Amino acid sequence: MSELQALLEQARAEGLARIAEAEDLVSLNEARVRTLGRKAPLSQARSGLGKVDENERKVMGRLANEVQKELEAALQAKQEVFQAAELEQRWERERIDVTLPGAVPPLGALHPLTKTIWEIVDIFIGLGYSVAEGPEVELSLYNFDALNTPPAHPARSAQDTFYVDGAGEEVCLRTQTSPMQMRIMETEAPPIYVVVPGRVYRREAEDATHTSQFAQIEGLAVDEGITMGDLKGSLSAFARAIFGGDLDVRLRPHYFPFTEPSAELDVQCFVCRGSGSGCRMCKGEGWIEVLGCGMVDPALFEWAGHDPERYSGFAFGMGVERIAALAHGVSDIRYFYDNDLRFLSQFRGIA
Ligand code: DAH
Protein backbone atom coordinates (compact mmCIF):
# COMPACT_ATOMS: atom_id res chain seq x y z
CA MET A 1 0.00 0.00 0.00
CA SER A 2 1.41 3.37 -1.00
CA GLU A 3 1.94 6.09 1.51
CA LEU A 4 -0.80 8.18 -0.04
CA GLN A 5 -3.26 5.31 0.04
CA ALA A 6 -2.44 4.79 3.69
CA LEU A 7 -3.12 8.46 4.42
CA LEU A 8 -6.44 8.31 2.62
CA GLU A 9 -7.48 5.14 4.44
CA GLN A 10 -6.50 6.74 7.71
CA ALA A 11 -8.54 9.84 6.86
CA ARG A 12 -11.50 7.59 6.15
CA ALA A 13 -11.15 5.58 9.34
CA GLU A 14 -10.57 8.63 11.58
CA GLY A 15 -13.37 10.55 9.92
CA LEU A 16 -15.88 7.75 10.32
CA ALA A 17 -14.86 7.30 13.94
CA ARG A 18 -15.23 11.00 14.67
CA ILE A 19 -18.64 11.09 13.02
CA ALA A 20 -19.71 8.03 14.99
CA GLU A 21 -18.66 9.71 18.24
CA ALA A 22 -20.68 12.92 17.64
CA GLU A 23 -23.48 13.18 20.17
CA ASP A 24 -25.50 16.07 18.83
CA LEU A 25 -25.71 18.56 15.99
CA VAL A 26 -23.04 20.79 17.54
CA SER A 27 -20.44 18.07 17.93
CA LEU A 28 -21.38 16.72 14.50
CA ASN A 29 -20.59 20.14 13.01
CA GLU A 30 -17.20 20.09 14.70
CA ALA A 31 -16.61 16.61 13.28
CA ARG A 32 -17.52 17.92 9.81
CA VAL A 33 -14.87 20.66 9.98
CA ARG A 34 -12.23 18.26 11.22
CA THR A 35 -13.13 15.63 8.60
CA LEU A 36 -13.75 17.68 5.45
CA GLY A 37 -12.27 21.10 6.33
CA ARG A 38 -9.18 22.65 4.81
CA LYS A 39 -6.83 21.27 7.44
CA ALA A 40 -8.50 17.87 7.67
CA PRO A 41 -6.42 14.71 6.93
CA LEU A 42 -8.35 14.18 3.69
CA SER A 43 -7.42 17.62 2.37
CA GLN A 44 -3.83 17.06 3.46
CA ALA A 45 -3.74 13.71 1.63
CA ARG A 46 -5.25 15.32 -1.47
CA SER A 47 -2.42 17.81 -1.59
CA GLY A 48 -0.06 14.83 -1.95
CA LEU A 49 -1.80 13.87 -5.23
CA GLY A 50 0.33 16.32 -7.23
CA LYS A 51 3.50 14.64 -6.10
CA VAL A 52 2.80 11.10 -7.40
CA ASP A 53 2.96 9.76 -10.93
CA GLU A 54 0.01 9.96 -13.24
CA ASN A 55 -1.15 6.38 -12.87
CA GLU A 56 -1.20 6.45 -9.12
CA ARG A 57 -2.74 9.92 -9.18
CA LYS A 58 -5.72 8.54 -11.14
CA VAL A 59 -6.27 5.66 -8.77
CA MET A 60 -5.63 7.76 -5.64
CA GLY A 61 -7.81 10.58 -7.00
CA ARG A 62 -10.68 8.13 -7.34
CA LEU A 63 -10.01 6.78 -3.87
CA ALA A 64 -9.93 10.34 -2.42
CA ASN A 65 -13.30 11.07 -4.05
CA GLU A 66 -14.70 7.80 -2.75
CA VAL A 67 -13.50 8.57 0.79
CA GLN A 68 -14.92 12.08 0.54
CA LYS A 69 -18.33 10.76 -0.61
CA GLU A 70 -18.39 8.15 2.13
CA LEU A 71 -17.60 10.71 4.79
CA GLU A 72 -20.20 13.14 3.42
CA ALA A 73 -22.78 10.39 3.36
CA ALA A 74 -21.97 9.43 6.96
CA LEU A 75 -22.24 13.08 8.05
CA GLN A 76 -25.53 13.45 6.20
CA ALA A 77 -26.98 10.27 7.69
CA LYS A 78 -25.99 11.22 11.21
CA GLN A 79 -27.32 14.75 10.72
CA GLU A 80 -30.69 13.36 9.67
CA VAL A 81 -30.81 11.18 12.77
CA PHE A 82 -30.12 14.16 15.03
CA GLN A 83 -32.59 16.40 13.20
CA ALA A 84 -35.31 13.77 13.42
CA ALA A 85 -34.64 13.36 17.14
CA GLU A 86 -34.75 17.10 17.66
CA LEU A 87 -38.02 17.36 15.78
CA GLU A 88 -39.42 14.54 17.83
CA GLN A 89 -38.45 16.35 21.04
CA ARG A 90 -39.95 19.58 19.83
CA TRP A 91 -43.21 17.88 19.00
CA GLU A 92 -43.21 16.37 22.43
CA ARG A 93 -42.56 19.78 23.98
CA GLU A 94 -45.04 21.69 21.91
CA ARG A 95 -47.62 19.02 21.62
CA ILE A 96 -51.16 20.43 21.97
CA ASP A 97 -54.35 18.54 22.33
CA VAL A 98 -56.84 20.45 20.23
CA THR A 99 -59.68 18.54 21.83
CA LEU A 100 -58.90 19.98 25.29
CA PRO A 101 -61.14 22.87 26.37
CA GLY A 102 -59.40 26.23 25.92
CA ALA A 103 -58.50 28.66 28.70
CA VAL A 104 -61.85 29.96 29.90
CA PRO A 105 -61.80 33.70 30.68
CA PRO A 106 -63.43 34.55 34.02
CA LEU A 107 -67.06 35.39 33.32
CA GLY A 108 -68.87 38.17 35.11
CA ALA A 109 -72.26 37.62 36.68
CA LEU A 110 -75.32 39.63 37.54
CA HIS A 111 -75.18 41.60 40.78
CA PRO A 112 -77.13 39.87 43.58
CA LEU A 113 -79.47 42.86 43.85
CA THR A 114 -80.21 42.72 40.12
CA LYS A 115 -80.93 39.03 40.46
CA THR A 116 -83.24 39.66 43.41
CA ILE A 117 -85.11 42.37 41.50
CA TRP A 118 -85.57 40.06 38.52
CA GLU A 119 -86.69 37.24 40.77
CA ILE A 120 -89.32 39.41 42.50
CA VAL A 121 -90.49 41.00 39.27
CA ASP A 122 -90.77 37.53 37.69
CA ILE A 123 -93.11 36.39 40.45
CA PHE A 124 -95.43 39.32 39.81
CA ILE A 125 -95.28 38.86 36.04
CA GLY A 126 -96.48 35.34 36.79
CA LEU A 127 -99.44 36.88 38.68
CA GLY A 128 -100.33 38.99 35.62
CA TYR A 129 -98.59 42.26 36.50
CA SER A 130 -96.74 44.46 34.01
CA VAL A 131 -93.49 46.32 34.78
CA ALA A 132 -92.84 50.07 34.71
CA GLU A 133 -89.99 52.35 35.67
CA GLY A 134 -90.02 55.99 36.69
CA PRO A 135 -87.76 59.00 37.27
CA GLU A 136 -85.29 58.96 40.15
CA VAL A 137 -85.25 62.76 40.14
CA GLU A 138 -88.85 63.47 40.98
CA LEU A 139 -91.16 66.37 41.71
CA SER A 140 -91.92 66.63 45.43
CA LEU A 141 -95.48 66.87 44.21
CA TYR A 142 -95.46 63.19 43.20
CA ASN A 143 -93.07 61.97 45.87
CA PHE A 144 -95.07 63.53 48.73
CA ASP A 145 -98.05 65.82 48.08
CA ALA A 146 -100.01 63.55 45.74
CA LEU A 147 -99.44 60.71 48.23
CA ASN A 148 -101.31 62.47 51.02
CA THR A 149 -98.11 63.86 52.45
CA PRO A 150 -98.37 67.68 52.40
CA PRO A 151 -95.37 69.85 53.43
CA ALA A 152 -96.27 69.91 57.14
CA HIS A 153 -96.83 66.14 57.35
CA PRO A 154 -94.47 64.40 59.79
CA ALA A 155 -93.86 61.53 57.35
CA ARG A 156 -92.18 64.06 55.09
CA SER A 157 -89.37 64.84 57.50
CA ALA A 158 -88.99 61.16 58.32
CA GLN A 159 -88.09 60.68 54.66
CA ASP A 160 -85.71 63.59 54.25
CA THR A 161 -83.88 63.45 50.96
CA PHE A 162 -81.57 65.29 48.59
CA TYR A 163 -83.15 68.29 46.89
CA VAL A 164 -82.35 69.52 43.40
CA ASP A 165 -82.67 73.01 41.96
CA GLY A 166 -85.98 72.69 40.15
CA ALA A 167 -86.45 76.14 38.57
CA GLY A 168 -89.44 77.10 40.70
CA GLU A 169 -90.74 73.57 41.36
CA GLU A 170 -89.59 71.53 44.30
CA VAL A 171 -87.54 68.67 42.90
CA CYS A 172 -85.94 65.88 44.92
CA LEU A 173 -84.33 62.50 44.61
CA ARG A 174 -87.33 60.25 45.21
CA THR A 175 -87.47 58.66 48.65
CA GLN A 176 -89.73 55.82 47.49
CA THR A 177 -91.06 54.26 44.31
CA SER A 178 -94.61 55.15 45.43
CA PRO A 179 -94.78 58.35 43.27
CA MET A 180 -95.08 56.00 40.30
CA GLN A 181 -98.51 55.00 41.67
CA MET A 182 -99.65 58.53 40.87
CA ARG A 183 -97.83 58.82 37.54
CA ILE A 184 -99.36 55.56 36.34
CA MET A 185 -102.88 56.28 37.65
CA GLU A 186 -102.72 59.73 36.07
CA THR A 187 -102.08 58.32 32.60
CA GLU A 188 -103.79 54.93 32.66
CA ALA A 189 -107.35 53.82 33.33
CA PRO A 190 -107.98 50.78 35.54
CA PRO A 191 -107.60 47.85 35.52
CA ILE A 192 -103.99 48.49 36.56
CA TYR A 193 -101.65 45.73 37.74
CA VAL A 194 -98.09 46.95 37.78
CA VAL A 195 -94.79 46.58 39.63
CA VAL A 196 -92.13 49.30 39.61
CA PRO A 197 -88.54 48.43 40.51
CA GLY A 198 -86.18 51.36 41.02
CA ARG A 199 -83.57 53.19 43.00
CA VAL A 200 -84.54 55.55 45.83
CA TYR A 201 -82.60 57.99 48.03
CA ARG A 202 -82.75 59.18 51.62
CA ARG A 203 -80.73 61.25 54.01
CA GLU A 204 -79.54 58.42 56.23
CA ALA A 205 -76.88 57.77 58.81
CA GLU A 206 -75.65 54.59 57.16
CA ASP A 207 -75.51 51.36 59.11
CA ALA A 208 -75.97 47.63 58.56
CA THR A 209 -79.62 48.08 57.56
CA HIS A 210 -79.66 51.62 56.08
CA THR A 211 -77.94 53.14 53.06
CA SER A 212 -78.62 56.54 51.52
CA GLN A 213 -79.50 54.92 48.23
CA PHE A 214 -81.24 51.63 47.91
CA ALA A 215 -83.75 49.81 45.72
CA GLN A 216 -87.45 49.34 46.13
CA ILE A 217 -90.17 47.53 44.28
CA GLU A 218 -93.57 49.14 44.28
CA GLY A 219 -96.76 47.36 43.37
CA LEU A 220 -100.19 48.67 42.48
CA ALA A 221 -103.41 46.82 41.70
CA VAL A 222 -106.50 48.88 40.86
CA ASP A 223 -109.73 47.38 39.56
CA GLU A 224 -113.40 47.12 40.36
CA GLY A 225 -114.14 45.18 43.53
CA ILE A 226 -110.59 44.72 44.86
CA THR A 227 -110.60 43.86 48.56
CA MET A 228 -108.14 43.37 51.36
CA GLY A 229 -108.55 39.64 50.72
CA ASP A 230 -106.99 40.14 47.27
CA LEU A 231 -104.12 42.01 48.91
CA LYS A 232 -103.50 39.23 51.38
CA GLY A 233 -103.84 36.47 48.78
CA SER A 234 -101.53 38.13 46.26
CA LEU A 235 -98.84 39.12 48.75
CA SER A 236 -98.95 35.75 50.52
CA ALA A 237 -98.40 34.08 47.16
CA PHE A 238 -95.43 36.37 46.59
CA ALA A 239 -93.90 35.86 50.05
CA ARG A 240 -94.17 32.10 49.78
CA ALA A 241 -92.70 32.10 46.28
CA ILE A 242 -89.64 33.96 47.46
CA PHE A 243 -89.11 32.59 50.99
CA GLY A 244 -90.64 29.12 50.90
CA GLY A 245 -94.01 27.55 50.21
CA ASP A 246 -94.75 26.23 53.68
CA LEU A 247 -94.30 29.45 55.65
CA ASP A 248 -97.16 31.34 57.19
CA VAL A 249 -97.69 35.05 56.53
CA ARG A 250 -99.52 37.68 58.55
CA LEU A 251 -100.67 41.25 58.12
CA ARG A 252 -99.83 43.56 61.01
CA PRO A 253 -101.61 46.93 61.25
CA HIS A 254 -99.38 49.88 60.41
CA TYR A 255 -99.56 53.41 59.08
CA PHE A 256 -98.72 54.85 55.67
CA PRO A 257 -100.10 58.20 54.48
CA PHE A 258 -101.38 56.88 51.15
CA THR A 259 -103.10 53.64 52.14
CA GLU A 260 -106.09 53.09 54.39
CA PRO A 261 -106.04 50.68 56.09
CA SER A 262 -102.31 50.05 56.04
CA ALA A 263 -100.34 47.03 57.12
CA GLU A 264 -96.96 45.42 57.16
CA LEU A 265 -96.62 41.93 55.79
CA ASP A 266 -94.60 39.54 57.92
CA VAL A 267 -93.45 36.09 56.91
CA GLN A 268 -92.77 33.36 59.42
CA CYS A 269 -89.05 33.29 60.15
CA PHE A 270 -87.50 30.78 57.77
CA VAL A 271 -84.64 30.04 60.18
CA CYS A 272 -86.56 29.17 63.39
CA ARG A 273 -89.83 28.44 61.53
CA GLY A 274 -91.75 30.74 63.81
CA SER A 275 -90.66 29.40 67.19
CA GLY A 276 -88.58 32.52 67.86
CA SER A 277 -86.64 31.09 70.77
CA GLY A 278 -83.03 32.28 70.60
CA CYS A 279 -83.30 33.01 66.88
CA ARG A 280 -80.90 35.68 65.64
CA MET A 281 -82.56 36.06 62.25
CA CYS A 282 -85.91 37.28 63.63
CA LYS A 283 -84.52 38.42 67.01
CA GLY A 284 -86.87 36.06 68.81
CA GLU A 285 -89.99 37.41 67.10
CA GLY A 286 -90.76 34.34 65.03
CA TRP A 287 -91.76 36.72 62.20
CA ILE A 288 -89.83 38.78 59.67
CA GLU A 289 -91.11 42.02 58.21
CA VAL A 290 -91.14 41.88 54.42
CA LEU A 291 -93.02 44.89 53.06
CA GLY A 292 -95.48 47.73 53.62
CA CYS A 293 -98.90 47.62 52.01
CA GLY A 294 -102.48 48.74 52.24
CA MET A 295 -105.67 49.63 50.40
CA VAL A 296 -105.19 52.65 48.14
CA ASP A 297 -106.59 55.73 49.89
CA PRO A 298 -109.62 57.06 47.92
CA ALA A 299 -108.00 60.52 47.94
CA LEU A 300 -105.37 59.16 45.53
CA PHE A 301 -108.03 58.04 43.06
CA GLU A 302 -109.59 61.50 43.21
CA TRP A 303 -106.23 63.16 42.65
CA ALA A 304 -105.66 60.95 39.59
CA GLY A 305 -109.21 61.44 38.26
CA HIS A 306 -110.67 57.98 38.91
CA ASP A 307 -113.99 57.39 40.64
CA PRO A 308 -113.30 56.08 44.19
CA GLU A 309 -116.86 54.69 44.32
CA ARG A 310 -116.15 52.49 41.32
CA TYR A 311 -112.54 51.51 41.85
CA SER A 312 -110.58 50.13 44.73
CA GLY A 313 -107.09 48.74 44.93
CA PHE A 314 -104.09 47.79 46.96
CA ALA A 315 -100.50 48.91 46.91
CA PHE A 316 -97.27 47.61 48.38
CA GLY A 317 -93.62 48.55 48.58
CA MET A 318 -90.58 46.55 49.57
CA GLY A 319 -86.86 47.14 50.03
CA VAL A 320 -84.81 44.97 47.71
CA GLU A 321 -81.62 44.94 49.83
CA ARG A 322 -83.63 43.77 52.81
CA ILE A 323 -85.20 40.90 50.88
CA ALA A 324 -81.85 39.92 49.31
CA ALA A 325 -80.15 40.07 52.72
CA LEU A 326 -82.87 37.93 54.31
CA ALA A 327 -82.91 35.41 51.47
CA HIS A 328 -79.11 34.96 51.49
CA GLY A 329 -78.29 35.51 55.16
CA VAL A 330 -76.30 38.72 54.55
CA SER A 331 -75.67 40.53 57.82
CA ASP A 332 -74.93 44.01 56.46
CA ILE A 333 -76.58 45.48 53.35
CA ARG A 334 -73.56 47.72 52.71
CA TYR A 335 -71.76 44.60 51.39
CA PHE A 336 -73.98 44.87 48.32
CA TYR A 337 -72.34 48.18 47.43
CA ASP A 338 -68.69 47.54 48.37
CA ASN A 339 -67.91 45.84 45.03
CA ASP A 340 -65.79 43.27 46.82
CA LEU A 341 -65.50 40.29 44.46
CA ARG A 342 -65.00 37.91 47.40
CA PHE A 343 -68.56 38.80 48.40
CA LEU A 344 -70.12 39.19 44.96
CA SER A 345 -68.69 36.01 43.44
CA GLN A 346 -70.52 33.94 46.05
CA PHE A 347 -73.76 34.78 44.21
CA ARG A 348 -72.47 33.78 40.77
CA GLY A 349 -74.33 30.50 40.52
CA ILE A 350 -77.48 31.56 42.36
CA ALA A 351 -80.43 31.94 40.02
N1 DAH B 1 -93.25 53.76 50.19
C1 DAH B 1 -93.21 53.11 51.48
C2 DAH B 1 -91.84 53.32 52.12
O1 DAH B 1 -90.91 53.62 51.40
C3 DAH B 1 -93.48 51.64 51.35
C4 DAH B 1 -94.89 51.38 51.01
C5 DAH B 1 -95.82 51.15 52.02
C6 DAH B 1 -95.33 51.40 49.69
C7 DAH B 1 -97.13 50.92 51.74
C8 DAH B 1 -96.67 51.13 49.41
C9 DAH B 1 -97.56 50.90 50.46
O2 DAH B 1 -97.15 51.12 48.17
O3 DAH B 1 -98.88 50.66 50.15
O4 DAH B 1 -91.70 53.19 53.30
Side-chain angles (χ1 to χ4, degrees), residues 214-237:
F214 57 103
Q216 283 190 336
I217 297 182
E218 191 78 14
L220 178 67
V222 181
D223 209 335
E224 291 181 28
I226 296 246
T227 69
M228 195 115 183
D230 297 313
L231 177 157
K232 186 165 187 189
S234 306
L235 295 183
S236 304

Side-chain angles (χ1 to χ4, degrees), residues 219-273:
L220 178 67
V222 181
D223 209 335
E224 291 181 28
I226 296 246
T227 69
M228 195 115 183
D230 297 313
L231 177 157
K232 186 165 187 189
S234 306
L235 295 183
S236 304
F238 157 73
R240 292 196 178 113
I242 196 133
F243 291 114
D246 50 346
L247 295 167
D248 210 358
V249 293
R250 74 174 182 191
L251 286 173
R252 182 168 34 79
H254 200 75
Y255 170 79
F256 296 103
F258 41 88
T259 42
E260 182 60 36
S262 302
E264 282 192 324
L265 180 89
D266 296 340
V267 65
Q268 214 176 22
C269 176
F270 47 84
V271 173
C272 67
R273 312 238 129 215

